[in-house]
Amino acid sequence: MEKPILEVDNLRIRYGGASTEAVRGVTFTLGRERLGIVGESGSGKSTVGRALLRLLPGATITADTLRFGDRELLTLSEREMLKVRGRHMSMILQDPKFSLNPIRRVGDQVAETYLRHFRCSKTEARDKALAMLEAVKIRDPKRVYQQYPHEISGGMGQRVMIAMMLLADPDLVIADEPTSALDVTVRLQVLNILDGLVRDRGIGLIMISHDLNLVRNFCDRVLIMYAGRVVETLAARDLDRAEHPYTRGLLAAQPKIGGGRAPLAVLDRQPEWLEEKA
Ligand SMILES: Nc1ncnc2c1ncn2[C@@H]1O[C@H](COP(=O)(O)OP(=O)(O)OP(=O)(O)O)[C@@H](O)[C@H]1O
Ligand SMILES: [Mg+2]
């Protein structure tokens, strides 16, 4: 088998002062594939994503293995981590409005990502940025390059973020609810762009989402998280055949078009879902 991009074994995360761990023994590997992470609010999805980039100030992260390519992430210095972030591993966040600097031109922010990681001239970085804006299907990249974040739409902003995160050609992209702020049509466009990039560049993608339909259609595999643990891992196409009662509960709680007016199922939580398997 091809060497995995990422190997996570027994990842545990505790926020400073908290009495329980937010992530409790998460284990998975990632190849050149699209891996979905689903689970209810607070189950620890974003915490896992940020831990991979070591972007959790004040939290204690431990793991038996947290290997990214040849690097053991938990043993890297902050300086070494700076070289990893944005260059080899990057994260696309939910809302571009919070991630772009409001007082700088969009294009300059994209070009800067390139300048930071590669030795090149400003003109070269600018050309790279323009090409990448075009690759994420921005129709008039030269115009958008000159605009400020408040002048572009949410969908455009999300594409700019994707361009920025992919510019350095990372091996792993973590997308944390990248389309939840977008309307349905723009959302499909953004997913298509991500999909194309995964195919063409052979990167690994972690897609964090609440949306079971989205991961079913978009991902290869899905991890289901509950209370800081992975309760089940499935091929995305087998999602409807999930066995864990929590996953079954999530599936049953989805509204269906034409599904009548019967009340939606409510999760019947069992205390044993919280327990860690030996
Ligand atoms: N900065 C923080 N300090 C303290 N606790 C935190 C912090 N961030 C998250 N938590 C706690 O960690 C747990 C997991 O949160 P996390 O944000 O990872 O969940 P999530 O699955 O991403 O939820 P959502 O679907 O709402 O984004 C929650 O109990 C949350 O309250
Ligand atoms: Mg989250």
Side-chain angles (χ1 to χ4, degrees), residues 44-231:
K45 307 180 296 294
S46 299
T47 303
V48 168
R50 278 190 234 115
L52 298 174
L53 283 153
R54 290 211 354 225
L55 285 176
L56 285 172
T60 314
I61 310 175
T62 61
D64 293 345
T65 310
L66 197 61
R67 192 193 310 279
F68 171 56
D70 297 327
R71 303 174 180 84
E72 189 57 51
L73 291 174
L74 291 183
T75 63
L76 296 187
S77 66
E78 186 51 33
R79 248 184 93 153
E80 288 166 319
M81 234 14 246
L82 281 175
K83 286 187 210 145
V84 171
R85 286 188 206 116
R87 169 69 185 88
H88 301 290
M89 187 196 301
S90 58
M91 189 154 179
I92 301 168
L93 298 169
Q94 185 168 355
D95 198 332
K97 293 254 150 45
F98 294 114
S99 313
L100 291 167
N101 183 341
I103 57 165
R104 292 193 53 210
R105 291 183 200 279
V106 164
D108 290 337
Q109 296 186 51
V110 179
E112 190 188 271
T113 317
Y114 199 79
L115 270 177
R116 193 184 312 155
H117 293 291
F118 299 96
R119 233 175 249 232
C120 70
S121 68
K122 282 210 167 137
T123 326
E124 219 173 303
R126 188 189 139 86
D127 290 347
K128 283 275 177 198
L130 281 170
M132 200 66 214
L133 289 176
E134 205 165 353
V136 296
K137 310 274 188 302
I138 288 178
R139 233 174 286 144
D140 189 353
K142 285 208 171 104
R143 186 172 58 87
V144 173
Y145 193 103
Q146 297 298 335
Q147 287 181 314
Y148 288 93
H150 72 270
E151 295 175 314
I152 59 176
S153 68
M156 186 87 85
Q158 197 56 291
R159 275 178 270 183
V160 169
M161 282 300 295
I162 294 175
M164 207 185 228
M165 293 307 144
L166 294 169
L167 195 59
D169 213 2
D171 296 316
L172 170 60
V173 172
I174 302 158
D176 193 353
E177 316 247 8
T179 58
S180 57
L182 306 177
D183 66 47
V184 180
T185 38
V186 182
R187 189 169 136 174
L188 282 178
Q189 286 172 0
V190 169
L191 287 174
N192 277 332
I193 293 164
L194 278 175
D195 196 41
L197 293 163
V198 172
R199 268 171 224 264
D200 300 345
R201 297 172 181 232
I203 61 174
L205 177 73
I206 295 181
M207 175 75 130
I208 298 174
S209 178
H210 277 107
D211 188 336
L212 292 171
N213 271 324
L214 188 154
V215 298
R216 183 198 334 256
N217 295 320
F218 183 76
C219 294
D220 303 301
R221 269 191 319 137
V222 187
L223 305 183
I224 320 286
M225 284 191 70
Y226 178 72
R229 287 203 310 120
V230 174
V231 292

Side-chain angles (χ1 to χ4, degrees), residues 229 275-278:
R229 287 203 310 120
E275 283 161 26
E276 288 181 31
K277 275 174 251 160

